[in-house]
Amino acid sequence: MALIPKVEPKQEKKVVSARLDEEAHTMLQSYAAFLGGATHEYIIGESLKRLFRRDKEFNQWLEKNHAHSTATSDTPQSTSPTPKNTARTAPTAA
C-alpha cells in the first residue's frame, strides 16, 4: 500500500529547486511509476507534509516558536501550527 495518496489536490504552488543524488532520483522516479505516473513535485510535497505531521519534536518546536512570534508581533499570524505551502518543487517529468 502506498504511504501517500494517489490523488493530486489542486493547491497554490511555490517554487523550490533541489538537487538529488542519483540514488534518490532513481527511487523518486520508481515511486512515481509505482503511483501510476505521479509527478516528482507531488511526491516530494506529500512526503514533506507527512514528515512535518509525524515529527513530534519539530511540532513541539513549531508550537513554541509560533506562540512566541504571535506574542511579540503586531502582524496577524495563522492559528494553525502546521506550515502551509512550505515546500514545492518546480514541475518535472516523472
Side-chain angles (χ1 to χ4, degrees), residues 10-82:
K10 303 269 185 203
Q11 296 180 356
E12 179 184 345
K13 308 289 183 178
K14 302 287 183 181
V15 176
V16 173
S17 178
R19 293 182 179 268
L20 301 174
D21 61 54
E22 188 173 345
E23 179 184 4
H25 185 263
T26 300
M27 293 301 288
L28 179 59
Q29 289 179 307
S30 297
Y31 202 75
F34 168 70
L35 291 179
T39 64
H40 294 170
E41 173 183 322
Y42 174 73
I43 295 169
I44 292 167
E46 291 300 311
S47 298
L48 286 171
K49 288 178 198 175
R50 183 177 175 92
L51 171 70
F52 299 149
R53 281 192 312 266
R54 291 180 168 247
D55 190 325
K56 293 177 184 175
E57 189 175 350
F58 170 68
N59 281 295
Q60 290 170 351
W61 176 88
L62 191 61
E63 287 177 15
K64 177 183 172 187
N65 284 283
H66 179 73
H68 177 71
S69 68
T70 56
T72 60
S73 174
D74 290 334
T75 58
Q77 298 287 326
S78 168
T79 57
S80 172
T82 311

